[in-house]
Amino acid sequence: MWLNDKHVRQVTHGMRFCIRETSSENICTLRLRSEIVQWLERPLVSDINDADVIIDIDSKNSGSKGEFTIRTEHDRIVIDGHDAAGALYGFYTMLRRLSLGQQIAQFHSQPKQPIRMIDHWDQIDGSVERGYAGESIFFGRLGSNEHADIGVFPPRDTSNPFRGDIDRIIQYARFLASIGINAVALNNVNVRGDATRLILHPFLDRVKEIADIFSSFGVSTFLSVNYAAPKLLGGLGTSDPLADDVRSWWKQIADEVYKTIPAFGGFLVKADSEGEPGPMQYGRTHADGANMLADAVAPHGGTVIWRAFVYNSNQDWRDRTIDRAKAAYDNFISLDGQFDPGVVLQVKFGPIDFQTREPLTPLFGAMKHTNMLMEFEITAEYLGHQIDVNYVLPQWLEMINTRTDLENPDSEVKKTLGTNAIDGSRVGYAAVVNVGMDDNWTGNTLAQANLYGYGRMCWDDEVGSDEICREWIAQTFPELGDEDRERVFAIMTTSNATYEDYTAPLGVGFMVCKSRGHYGPGINDYEYDRWGTYHYADRNGVGVDRTMATGTGYVAQYSDSVAQMYEHLESIPDNLLLFFHHVPYTYRLHDGRTVIQHIYDTHFDGADAVARYIQLWDELRGKVPQNVFENVSRRLRLQLSNAIEWRDQINTYFYRMSGIGDERGRTIVP
Ligand code: GCV
């Protein structure tokens, strides 16, 4: 990925390092030493006068965890870490700057968010829910990916589901630390079968091996747990969070987990969601459920991350007042102020489910006394399965920079996470990751940039998506000249808008193919079904009326200024029009085009853009490694057929519905 071994060794060639510690050695400083000696293959010297790079590790009381300063002093680089993790971050930042040819003058850096988390949806049979890059890096048998392409796997050993590929985990932890990630959840939030046993020995001992590696890179490990574990594992008759035996069962579990892994982060929970068990089955609230677990981990300083992805997945579509978008707010707003300081509510950025275009979930800004994490999906479930190029940073940055009150510049989510928390050290971002056992980690090489960018955004929310993209390209393709880097840049920085163009028009969303796991068009696959995600297209118009005046009333969940903007056709941004309003096909957007013409134009434009990407990438033949060239080239060709399929299906569907032809006379029905 971006830490190209050969390149980082080249840029540090001839350098000697010296580590000065004022506090006692810990697992991170040991790691730093081995990173220098074993990974970079550079010597460590004891006399600072012999060193080109001096790393000071000085545990300070003031300042934030992980912060560091880099400066030059008499031709030497000095990295001053606030703590051992800060020294590590400073070290990787120095490598980045050297790789990018950037100057190392005086440079101070501190993370913008305290929790910068990665969630894995890895399952202990080695599969990854919504994974598009091969099997899990944690679970499954070592070497079992060898024949994955032809679907042949050796039999699994269910008594030991761990892959045990320690080298790969070390490499992965290095990637995470290099972008400032400090927390990781190892297993899927849908915790089923043997996965429920990860909190028990002997699986826990193997979790410890992984957690120790992550700890040495400054990353704490979390496990997803099944809320019904007291019944499933403990033989209790209930999992009611207020029952004494349930409470003491979880306490014992937490004690043993922390005895085994003292640096353990805590538990991640999906409860009462999409069929998973939870406290509501016992007539208890989410706060009752989360606080009980927080109580269990509190003596150890642990954290409980509780997901807000709770909605009725058995909706009666005939009832037009039910609106899935309203669910998170409806389920959680009354619990504001009731969660313990050790609980963090993890809320998806949009109210539906990681769609190409969604507004911000209204809980952000509305919860005033709750620790929150904003959740993203790096894995491209709805965004092209890492076949289609989709550099998604523009969307994420837009989300964290969204004002929850238009009149208040301090109401951007990246700020309100901290100001609305009851424990400011327990807020930040979490994202479902896109890696697997594929040689290039992410299926499509270009999809690596989303993991890289996510970490960069967590650390520094002032860096723009273009700058992040340039950084990633320069580190990943050091062999390319400026003109060729611009070609990659041109593809990537337009790819998110291109994907939106040929898929979801004007915020409508979810017209995805159910049988292909949300890849490709399925215009009516979720229409009038139990999942509650509709576009309501008919011969007169399209879109979901979520207004207060005539619709589901979802708009009322926002602050007044935002609600007014979304309520009225004059002020609604075009790209969210159909998320909030049902309009005729002849309705004119702010740019003067009709809705139907916008649909035709963007779908032709989107497919044309992908055809241009192929030409741009073809220019790189022989300039990037052959396997990388082939990897992207093959996927771009698949993307083109996908884009054409989307274009033709969407255009045909809306042509038939509306009966209105394309002003420009292009062929709609192929
Ligand atoms: C892990 C969506 C995905 C599911 C996922 C769920 C969630 O519904 O399709 O795969 O389950 O979100 O976030 O819990």
Side-chain angles (χ1 to χ4, degrees):
M1 294 210 269
W2 53 89
L3 286 175
N4 183 311
D5 291 0
K6 206 167 119 212
H7 189 53
V8 288
R9 283 178 196 146
Q10 246 164 31
V11 296
T12 52
H13 183 73
M15 288 182 169
R16 288 153 305 170
F17 290 73
C18 175
I19 296 183
R20 283 192 302 204
E21 283 171 272
T22 52
S23 40
S24 57
E25 186 129 77
N26 74 14
I27 187 170
C28 283
T29 47
L30 283 174
R31 175 61 66 189
L32 189 52
R33 287 178 194 284
S34 86
E35 285 294 87
I36 293 165
V37 176
Q38 280 163 23
W39 177 52
L40 278 189
E41 300 176 346
R42 299 309 318 148
L44 270 173
V45 294
S46 49
D47 185 343
I48 55 163
N49 294 311
D50 296 334
D52 305 285
V53 180
I54 301 168
I55 304 180
D56 280 327
I57 305 173
D58 172 15
S59 282
K60 303 173 184 71
N61 293 326
S62 61
S64 44
K65 278 189 189 160
E67 73 178 49
F68 62 86
T69 304
I70 304 181
R71 59 181 195 281
T72 42
E73 226 175 66
H74 314 296
D75 283 348
R76 291 194 186 99
I77 298 173
V78 180
I79 300 172
D80 189 4
H82 168 269
D83 46 24
L88 261 181
Y89 297 142
F91 167 74
Y92 294 119
T93 303
M94 175 197 74
L95 292 182
R96 182 174 71 239
R97 291 181 84 91
L98 291 173
S99 300
L100 296 173
Q102 290 172 344
Q103 276 209 327
I104 301 202
Q106 178 84 8
F107 179 82
H108 178 78
S109 190
Q110 67 188 83
K112 286 282 172 53
Q113 297 294 340
I115 300 182
R116 306 175 297 278
M117 183 159 186
I118 286 291
D119 291 348
H120 280 257
W121 284 354
D122 296 20
Q123 330 212 71
I124 65 170
D125 65 357
S127 63
V128 178
E129 181 156 345
R130 311 302 178 188
Y132 313 106
E135 288 208 318
S136 162
I137 61 172
F138 303 126
F139 307 108
R141 281 184 47 166
L142 188 57
S144 69
N145 213 42
E146 275 168 23
H147 303 294
D149 53 340
I150 52 168
V152 177
F153 299 98
R156 295 189 189 286
D157 174 3
T158 47
S159 66
N160 176 15
F162 291 83
R163 184 179 296 281
D165 191 343
I166 298 299
D167 286 348
R168 192 154 176 101
I169 296 172
I170 291 175
Q171 284 181 54
Y172 179 55
R174 175 181 299 133
F175 285 124
L176 296 189
S178 78
I179 49 173
I181 297 297
N182 65 355
V184 63
L186 301 186
N187 61 311
N188 190 5
V189 288
N190 295 324
V191 188
R192 298 184 190 140
D194 278 346
T196 48
R197 312 185 70 83
L198 286 169
I199 49 178
L200 302 180
H201 300 292
F203 287 179
L204 187 59
D205 306 297
R206 304 299 305 274
V207 170
K208 176 190 162 50
E209 283 171 21
I210 299 175
D212 285 351
I213 295 172
F214 280 124
S215 280
S216 72
F217 283 93
V219 180
S220 61
T221 296
F222 285 67
L223 285 175
S224 300
V225 294
N226 184 314
Y227 206 78
K231 271 175 88 173
L232 296 171
L233 304 177
L236 305 188
T238 177
S239 296
D240 179 350
L242 301 192
D244 287 342
D245 50 352
V246 170
R247 299 180 78 85
S248 50
W249 188 84
W250 277 112
K251 271 187 192 297
Q252 273 174 33
I253 292 288
D255 291 348
E256 190 56 32
V257 169
Y258 279 92
K259 198 170 116 200
T260 313
I261 311 170
F264 188 70
F267 298 133
L268 169 62
V269 193
K270 171 175 177 176
D272 292 308
S273 161
E274 298 187 329
E276 297 305 313
M280 292 177 84
Q281 291 172 343
Y282 302 96
R284 311 299 183 194
T285 68
H286 286 278
D288 294 332
N291 293 345
M292 179 274 291
L293 285 177
D295 233 30
V297 296
H300 313 283
T303 300
V304 169
I305 300 178
W306 193 266
R307 294 179 84 233
F309 186 58
V310 178
Y311 66 99
N312 178 358
S313 49
N314 277 306
Q315 253 172 244
D316 178 356
W317 55 263
R318 289 162 298 195
D319 182 350
R320 286 282 189 122
T321 64
I322 304 177
D323 179 0
R324 172 165 163 182
K326 288 161 81 175
Y329 186 99
D330 282 350
N331 279 299
F332 286 93
I333 193 66
S334 63
L335 301 175
D336 189 24
Q338 292 184 30
F339 289 101
D340 283 354
V343 175
V344 188
L345 196 61
Q346 181 167 308
V347 185
K348 293 189 180 184
F349 69 77
I352 300 288
D353 195 12
F354 304 129
Q355 298 301 288
T356 307
R357 176 67 58 186
E358 283 189 65
L360 185 77
T361 297
L363 276 178
F364 294 106
M367 300 284 270
K368 302 286 187 201
H369 309 283
T370 303
N371 305 326
M372 288 167 91
L373 290 180
M374 181 178 269
E375 183 175 344
F376 301 92
E377 196 178 40
I378 310 176
T379 194
E381 176 182 356
Y382 298 98
L383 303 187
H385 285 198
Q386 285 142 238
I387 296 170
D388 299 26
V389 184
N390 198 332
Y391 174 64
V392 72
L393 260 290
Q395 184 191 25
W396 296 342
L397 287 169
E398 192 178 323
M399 286 297 138
I400 65 168
N401 284 303
T402 298
R403 284 187 192 179
T404 59
D405 172 0
L406 298 184
E407 262 102 65
N408 178 2
D410 289 327
S411 70
E412 292 164 333
V413 182
K414 63 185 182 190
K415 297 178 188 155
T416 60
L417 286 173
T419 50
N420 290 347
I422 50 170
D423 175 352
S425 69
R426 285 189 165 107
V427 297
Y429 307 131
V432 186
V433 79
N434 59 349
V435 301
M437 286 300 288
D438 276 4
D439 287 346
N440 66 359
W441 294 87
T442 55
N444 189 330
T445 303
L446 302 185
Q448 297 170 1
N450 287 327
L451 174 54
Y452 177 81
Y454 167 72
R456 296 285 289 123
M457 170 183 95
C458 292
W459 187 277
D460 184 355
D461 50 33
E462 299 294 322
V463 196
S465 62
D466 285 2
E467 195 182 334
I468 293 175
C469 188
R470 282 193 201 287
E471 280 181 8
W472 178 80
I473 294 170
Q475 292 171 87
T476 308
F477 301 114
E479 65 277 25
L480 288 183
D482 287 351
E483 218 177 301
D484 287 324
R485 286 185 192 177
E486 281 309 306
R487 292 192 167 99
V488 184
F489 180 81
I491 295 174
M492 294 180 67
T493 50
T494 54
S495 60
N496 187 242
T498 294
Y499 192 81
E500 183 171 3
D501 274 352
Y502 65 78
T503 57
L506 303 166
V508 78
F510 240 107
M511 296 192 297
V512 285
C513 182
K514 206 182 248 180
S515 62
R516 286 194 276 163
H518 303 158
Y519 187 77
I523 299 170
N524 282 329
D525 283 18
Y526 286 90
E527 199 63 6
Y528 302 129
D529 84 341
R530 69 184 183 93
W531 297 96
T533 47
Y534 316 128
H535 53 70
Y536 289 130
D538 59 23
R539 66 183 295 275
N540 299 314
V542 55
V544 189
D545 185 353
R546 297 192 156 105
T547 62
M548 300 180 277
T550 53
T552 66
Y554 164 75
V555 166
Q557 295 184 344
Y558 290 96
S559 68
D560 280 355
S561 56
V562 176
Q564 286 309 316
M565 170 179 66
Y566 289 147
E567 177 77 1
H568 304 292
L569 285 168
E570 306 77 57
S571 48
I572 182 93
D574 283 343
N575 59 16
L576 283 170
L577 174 70
L578 302 181
F579 191 93
F580 285 100
H581 295 270
H582 185 87
V583 295
Y585 296 105
T586 50
Y587 178 79
R588 284 196 187 275
L589 304 173
H590 293 105
D591 70 4
R593 268 189 298 186
T594 59
V595 165
I596 189 70
Q597 194 56 38
H598 172 95
I599 292 175
Y600 295 147
D601 288 350
T602 49
H603 284 76
F604 282 112
D605 290 350
D608 290 350
V610 181
R612 278 197 306 281
Y613 294 167
I614 292 179
Q615 289 166 2
L616 283 166
W617 187 258
D618 279 352
E619 294 286 325
L620 303 182
R621 185 190 295 277
K623 298 178 183 167
V624 292
Q626 184 62 10
N627 59 338
V628 175
F629 178 78
E630 294 294 343
N631 168 271
V632 176
S633 185
R634 219 175 34 244
R635 282 170 174 72
L636 280 171
R637 281 161 175 83
L638 292 171
Q639 179 174 2
L640 183 59
S641 22
N642 188 36
I644 289 172
E645 193 183 348
W646 271 99
R647 178 196 69 194
D648 291 344
Q649 287 213 25
I650 294 270
N651 285 350
T652 304
Y653 181 87
F654 286 103
Y655 170 65
R656 288 196 175 136
M657 279 285 166
S658 66
I660 302 170
D662 173 30
E663 280 170 6
R664 293 165 62 186
R666 291 162 290 196
T667 305
I668 298 294
V669 184

